[in-house]
Amino acid sequence: MKQKSLILLGVLITINCFSQQEKVIVNKDSLSIKQIRHPQSPEPKYQKYAISGYVKLVSTFDVGPNIKNTGAFKNSDIPVNPNKLQEKSRLSFDARQTRVGFDGNFTAGNEHIHTYVETDFYSSETLNNYSLRLRLAYINVWKFHIGRDWTTFANLEATPNQVDFQGANSSPTIRNEMIRFVHDLNKKTTLNIAVETHNSDFTPLVQDDPGYVSFPDLVSNITHTDDWGQLSFAKMFRDISYLNAELDTKHEFGYGLNVAGYINTFKTANGTKHDKLMFMGVTGKGISHYILDISGLGLDAVSLAANKLTALKAGGGYLAYEHWWNDKMSSTLVGSHVSVEDVNQQLPNIYKSASYLEANYIATPLENFHVGIAYLYGNHRLQNKDKGNASRIQAMFQYSF
């Protein structure tokens, strides 16, 4: 696997070297679809081809108890009633968030085609697993955005800039395969309509349930951006297909609503950076896959009655303030909360709620070289009211290219 990763990196670097010689500049404004990137993603330098990415080292110190995941602070991994090993403090260095992206802009007749592929080495929570994984892979053509990208249900521009790789526990910033239609209603308002698919995220009734998708999730998002800031409304309708004890396919309906945005407040002395108040609220039924902290826990739907699954209600939100001390130094304070409906009588030991806090300081002492430090606190409560909490100090060193 290491050899394959090195070969892939060599090919990408070779392509980039040849493209540098062509010096073909593509105007960003000529692209038909606005490129919206997660705040942790580097901005590529647009040519006909470009390689972007960063080299990153994260240093993590768990005050105690320690959390299973060393690279990202996930509340659902906080141990409840920790044992002696879990109670111990822990220090780790982790470079697996290092990332490489290949960006291409092409023409076919009078049409622009934009492609992007992004990989990193964070394929599992195991600290010594350096396998390459696919993060993003998409095509923009006409008014369509096709491939694997951040879900249409999220607003990336209202996502806080954090040292923690996981981010606010209520954030709906997950990645799906999709076909998305993008239309500018006017210069300030954009409409997105998408069909998206992902791995099943429910607790099956039968062990051999493959979790096949019968219908894709239907997601829409309308976003308005103005001088004062931004506001978006997203909604989702989905079908959860499962097998009952007789191996008949049954369906459970789910839905969700997400409101997010930011308000511009103060500017730095020379007016190049804006402080921002960012907010997000999400609620729905059968949408646990779309909430970071509980995605992958099988809580879209669970068995609360004989031979039947029930979609669980879940929701949460965050509030964050990003302050720029000057053009090269910023701090962000983030508070977030997630909760799942009360099913204590049937499933007392599953996730009930969690709260999350990060306070950070990020500086750019050299061009494209970023350093940061953060304090993280979180708790994790089960349906039976048992509770765990944890604190972490995390530092990062990142050079973007």
Side-chain angles (χ1 to χ4, degrees):
M1 180 58 72
K2 290 183 179 178
Q3 291 180 343
K4 292 181 179 178
S5 300
L6 291 173
I7 291 171
L8 175 59
L9 288 174
V11 171
L12 292 176
I13 292 169
T14 301
I15 292 173
N16 187 54
C17 290
F18 282 111
S19 66
Q20 297 286 339
Q21 296 174 1
E22 294 184 18
K23 301 293 183 183
V24 179
I25 305 299
V26 177
N27 189 336
K28 292 182 184 181
D29 295 334
S30 69
L31 299 175
S32 58
I33 296 178
K34 177 183 178 182
Q35 300 308 300
I36 300 175
R37 297 184 184 275
H38 192 279
Q40 293 177 346
S41 295
E43 183 74 19
K45 298 173 178 62
Y46 274 81
Q47 297 176 351
K48 188 173 182 181
Y49 313 98
I51 288 184
S52 61
Y54 52 66
V55 177
K56 184 176 182 181
L57 177 71
V58 174
S59 174
T60 297
F61 180 71
D62 285 338
V63 179
N66 59 73
I67 303 171
K68 177 175 64 174
N69 196 334
T70 59
F73 191 91
K74 191 171 183 180
N75 290 69
S76 56
D77 285 340
I78 296 173
V80 175
N81 302 317
N83 58 39
K84 286 188 176 181
L85 288 177
Q86 292 170 328
E87 287 176 346
K88 296 182 182 300
S89 59
R90 178 182 59 191
L91 173 69
S92 66
F93 287 179
D94 191 347
R96 295 173 302 145
Q97 295 172 25
T98 294
R99 185 178 303 177
V100 178
F102 173 73
D103 204 289
N105 291 291
F106 310 93
T107 57
N110 294 324
E111 295 294 336
H112 289 285
I113 299 176
H114 173 238
T115 63
Y116 186 70
V117 178
E118 183 177 275
T119 65
D120 69 6
F121 300 87
Y122 201 86
S123 57
S124 76
E125 295 176 354
T126 305
L127 188 58
N128 61 355
N129 184 352
Y130 303 103
S131 299
L132 201 66
R133 70 163 178 173
L134 179 68
R135 282 174 54 86
L136 306 174
Y138 56 76
I139 304 164
N140 289 330
V141 59
W142 299 305
K143 290 190 174 185
F144 290 96
H145 185 75
I146 304 166
R148 176 176 174 82
D149 199 5
W150 302 97
T151 177
T152 312
F153 196 55
N155 182 344
L156 295 184
E157 294 177 288
T159 302
N161 189 23
Q162 298 187 236
V163 174
D164 176 30
F165 194 57
Q166 177 78 4
N169 66 339
S170 61
S171 178
T173 47
I174 57 97
R175 297 179 294 274
N176 285 339
E177 276 67 28
M178 68 184 66
I179 300 174
R180 179 193 296 168
F181 174 75
V182 183
H183 178 63
D184 292 329
L185 298 177
N186 53 51
K187 291 183 178 180
K188 297 181 178 180
T189 307
T190 301
L191 173 68
N192 296 269
I193 301 174
V195 287
E196 304 186 8
T197 64
H198 50 82
N199 294 333
S200 62
D201 203 352
F202 59 84
T203 304
L205 289 172
V206 296
Q207 184 176 358
D208 296 330
D209 191 336
Y212 293 147
V213 174
S214 296
F215 302 96
D217 297 352
L218 178 61
V219 190
S220 63
N221 181 314
I222 187 166
T223 302
H224 179 79
T225 306
D226 215 322
D227 293 338
W228 56 264
Q230 188 183 87
L231 183 63
S232 69
F233 294 92
K235 56 185 177 181
M236 176 207 314
F237 298 98
R238 59 181 313 237
D239 172 80
I240 302 169
S241 304
Y242 68 95
L243 299 181
N244 65 9
E246 291 75 34
L247 301 184
D248 296 323
T249 300
K250 298 296 181 179
H251 303 272
E252 182 70 7
F253 178 71
Y255 58 87
L257 175 66
N258 178 30
V259 180
Y262 62 83
I263 299 171
N264 293 319
T265 55
F266 307 105
K267 287 185 178 181
T268 53
N270 62 5
T272 61
K273 298 289 186 181
H274 254 301
D275 282 14
K276 289 182 180 180
L277 176 66
M278 290 168 276
F279 56 89
M280 189 281 302
V282 60
T283 186
K285 185 177 180 181
I287 62 164
S288 294
H289 169 77
Y290 286 85
I291 298 175
L292 272 181
D293 200 31
I294 50 180
S295 184
L297 298 184
L299 297 180
D300 276 349
V302 299
S303 178
L304 301 180
N307 207 25
K308 183 181 184 302
L309 290 187
T310 300
L312 291 184
K313 294 179 181 178
Y318 63 71
L319 190 65
Y321 191 82
E322 179 181 271
H323 171 65
W324 286 88
W325 303 100
N326 56 47
D327 289 352
K328 295 184 177 182
M329 300 178 187
S330 68
S331 292
T332 302
L333 179 65
V334 184
S336 179
H337 184 76
V338 174
S339 64
V340 176
E341 72 170 287
D342 188 3
V343 290
N344 179 43
Q345 292 182 351
Q346 294 94 336
L347 301 166
N349 295 316
I350 70 167
Y351 185 108
K352 169 58 182 173
S353 65
S355 297
Y356 171 99
L357 174 70
E358 176 179 331
N360 68 41
Y361 172 81
I362 300 174
T364 308
L366 300 172
E367 184 178 2
N368 296 329
F369 180 58
H370 313 286
V371 296
I373 189 167
Y375 170 76
L376 296 141
Y377 170 82
N379 60 42
H380 172 206
R381 187 186 298 271
L382 302 181
Q383 292 278 338
N384 62 11
K385 298 185 179 180
D386 285 352
K387 181 180 177 181
N389 58 74
S391 295
R392 171 176 285 183
I393 298 171
Q394 190 168 67
M396 74 164 188
F397 306 87
Q398 174 183 313
Y399 180 75
S400 301
F401 56 85

